[in-house]
């Protein structure tokens, strides 16, 4: 794995809103957003004033968590040190620390922990105007993963001090992830009214699902912390599911459609 790839993985894993693309919300509301605005509102292209708009490729990445973070870090600092990235974990620090070291720390408290990740890639897409009519063709790829209710007891500073053989309660929580691609067509129309304008639109999409997984703890469970990074729990109710394409073809994996 080269160092640029390592840098991107580090940013994805421990940044808190540094790479937040905000759904490009302000820009997507603009009249000149063109075919990109179709991802925000099917009627939005109706106000596009130009004759045509072509998108070759665009990407949006978002990651947020309240579990771990890098202290006093920034994209600029990570890029400057890309040839010599040094990491230290705050709870394990003893003595002086190099000014070049990137320190990983964890959020304190017993609040529920969340993790949100998404990547949206817009592929070749076209919008063209015929009088008050706009017709668009678009393509894209999406990957999302998230959970909003991981029990706070699993926070580092809450879990680490728990004595071995001590039992604690874990409440219900769930998480899910999926990836899919889409191909679609959009039609929008702008109607002149005596007191203004009315725009409406609709999109038709063909969706292709690739990998997906989910887990849900459906009822509370009593967990006991054991030695050797092990935990054990009482009988409970849980459910999970996943596509098995990646599992069955881990060494020679290629995306396969698991649903449409």
């Amino acid at each position: 794995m080269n160092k640029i790839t390592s840098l991107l993985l580090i940013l994805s894993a421990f940044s808190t809103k540094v790479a937040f693309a905000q759904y490009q919300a302000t820009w997507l509301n603009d009249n000149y957003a063109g075919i990109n605005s179709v991802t925000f509102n099917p009627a939005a292209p109706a106000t596009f004033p130009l004759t045509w708009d072509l998108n070759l490729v665009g990407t949006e990445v978002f990651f947020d968590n309240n579990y771990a973070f890098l202290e006093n870090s920034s994209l600029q600092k990570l890029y400057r040190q890309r040839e010599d990235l040094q990491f230290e974990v705050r709870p394990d620090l003893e003595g002086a620390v190099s000014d070049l070291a990137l320190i990983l720390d964890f959020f304190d408290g017993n609040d529920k922990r969340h993790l949100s990740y998404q990547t949206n890639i817009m592929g070749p897409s076209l919008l063209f105007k015929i009088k008050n009519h706009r017709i668009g063709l678009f393509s894209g790829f999406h990957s999302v993963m998230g959970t909003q209710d991981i029990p706070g007891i699993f926070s580092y500073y809450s879990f680490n001090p728990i004595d071995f053989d001590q039992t604690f309660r874990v409440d219900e929580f769930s998480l899910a992830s999926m990836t899919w691609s889409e191909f679609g067509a959009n039609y929008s129309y702008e109607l002149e009214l005596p007191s203004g304008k009315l725009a409406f639109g609709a999109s038709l999409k063909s969706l292709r699902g690739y990998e997906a997984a989910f887990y849900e703890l459906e009822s509370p469970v009593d967990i006991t912390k054991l030695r050797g990074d092990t935990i054990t729990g009482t009988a409970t109710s849980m459910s999970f599911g996943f596509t098995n394409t990646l599992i069955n073809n881990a060494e020679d994996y290629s995306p396969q459609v698991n649903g449409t």
Side-chain angles (χ1 to χ4, degrees), residues 101-178:
L102 297 168
I103 300 175
L104 172 66
D105 201 356
F106 304 91
F107 289 97
D108 205 351
N110 290 317
D111 295 337
K112 288 187 176 181
R113 300 303 170 190
H114 66 258
L115 168 68
S116 299
Y117 164 79
Q118 68 179 37
T119 296
N120 297 311
I121 300 175
M122 192 169 193
S125 304
L126 174 66
L127 174 68
F128 56 91
K129 173 183 176 182
I130 303 175
K131 296 184 178 180
N132 289 341
H133 307 269
R134 277 78 170 177
I135 298 173
L137 302 172
F138 57 91
S139 62
F141 176 85
H142 309 275
S143 177
V144 298
M145 176 182 67
T147 177
Q148 298 296 322
D149 55 2
I150 296 178
I153 191 65
F154 288 125
S155 301
Y156 181 89
Y157 290 116
S158 297
F159 183 81
N160 201 51
I162 295 177
D163 295 329
F164 292 120
D165 302 319
Q166 180 177 337
T167 299
F168 56 93
R169 173 61 60 93
V170 174
D171 293 326
E172 303 94 329
F173 71 96
S174 61
L175 58 88
S177 67
M178 66 183 300

Side-chain angles (χ1 to χ4, degrees), residues 30 32-33 45-46 77 80 104 118 131 164-165 171 178 195 211 230 232:
D30 189 88
Y32 287 87
K77 183 176 180 179
R80 286 201 310 265
L104 172 66
Q118 68 179 37
K131 296 184 178 180
F164 292 120
D165 302 319
D171 293 326
M178 66 183 300
S195 59
E211 305 302 332
T230 303
T232 184

Side-chain angles (χ1 to χ4, degrees), residues 34 36-37 94 97 114-115 130 151 166 182 196 199 214 228 230 250:
N36 288 270
S37 65
E94 296 181 0
V97 181
H114 66 258
L115 168 68
I130 303 175
Q166 180 177 337
E182 65 180 19
F214 79 93
T230 303

Side-chain angles (χ1 to χ4, degrees), residues 7-250:
L7 173 61
L8 292 174
L9 289 175
I10 292 164
L11 284 172
S12 295
F14 302 117
S15 299
T16 57
K17 300 187 180 179
V18 171
F20 184 24
Q22 298 177 347
Y23 273 90
Q24 304 166 337
T26 303
W27 182 68
L28 290 180
N29 279 323
D30 189 88
N31 289 340
Y32 287 87
I35 189 60
N36 288 270
S37 65
V38 76
T39 62
F40 185 75
N41 182 349
T47 62
F48 183 62
L50 304 181
T51 304
W52 59 274
D53 179 51
L54 174 65
N55 178 86
L56 297 179
V57 65
T59 184
E60 165 196 354
V61 178
F62 166 81
F63 182 88
D64 185 26
N65 83 104
N66 64 345
Y67 182 82
F69 62 94
L70 290 174
E71 291 185 4
N72 300 320
S73 186
S74 66
L75 181 62
Q76 182 181 16
K77 183 176 180 179
L78 289 169
Y79 181 77
R80 286 201 310 265
Q81 297 178 209
R82 64 189 183 281
E83 300 295 335
D84 185 25
L85 291 172
Q86 302 175 33
F87 295 95
E88 300 285 352
V89 180
R90 170 61 69 186
D92 298 335
L93 287 180
E94 296 181 0
V97 181
S98 169
D99 292 336
L100 298 178
L102 297 168
I103 300 175
L104 172 66
D105 201 356
F106 304 91
F107 289 97
D108 205 351
N110 290 317
D111 295 337
K112 288 187 176 181
R113 300 303 170 190
H114 66 258
L115 168 68
S116 299
Y117 164 79
Q118 68 179 37
T119 296
N120 297 311
I121 300 175
M122 192 169 193
S125 304
L126 174 66
L127 174 68
F128 56 91
K129 173 183 176 182
I130 303 175
K131 296 184 178 180
N132 289 341
H133 307 269
R134 277 78 170 177
I135 298 173
L137 302 172
F138 57 91
S139 62
F141 176 85
H142 309 275
S143 177
V144 298
M145 176 182 67
T147 177
Q148 298 296 322
D149 55 2
I150 296 178
I153 191 65
F154 288 125
S155 301
Y156 181 89
Y157 290 116
S158 297
F159 183 81
N160 201 51
I162 295 177
D163 295 329
F164 292 120
D165 302 319
Q166 180 177 337
T167 299
F168 56 93
R169 173 61 60 93
V170 174
D171 293 326
E172 303 94 329
F173 71 96
S174 61
L175 58 88
S177 67
M178 66 183 300
T179 58
W180 75 97
S181 63
E182 65 180 19
F183 301 90
N186 171 264
Y187 170 79
S188 59
Y189 180 77
E190 186 177 52
L191 178 65
E192 296 282 350
L193 298 177
S195 59
K197 298 179 180 180
L198 174 65
F200 61 88
S203 293
L204 295 177
K205 299 180 182 181
S206 171
L207 305 178
R208 296 185 175 188
Y210 298 99
E211 305 302 332
F214 79 93
Y215 171 84
E216 182 176 7
L217 180 65
E218 298 173 332
S219 61
V221 58
D222 291 324
I223 298 293
T224 302
K225 182 178 179 181
L226 305 178
R227 290 170 174 77
D229 296 325
T230 303
I231 60 174
T232 184
T234 57
T236 186
S237 176
M238 67 179 69
S239 60
F240 66 92
F242 55 88
T243 53
N244 58 12
T245 308
L246 178 60
I247 296 174
N248 293 340
N249 303 282

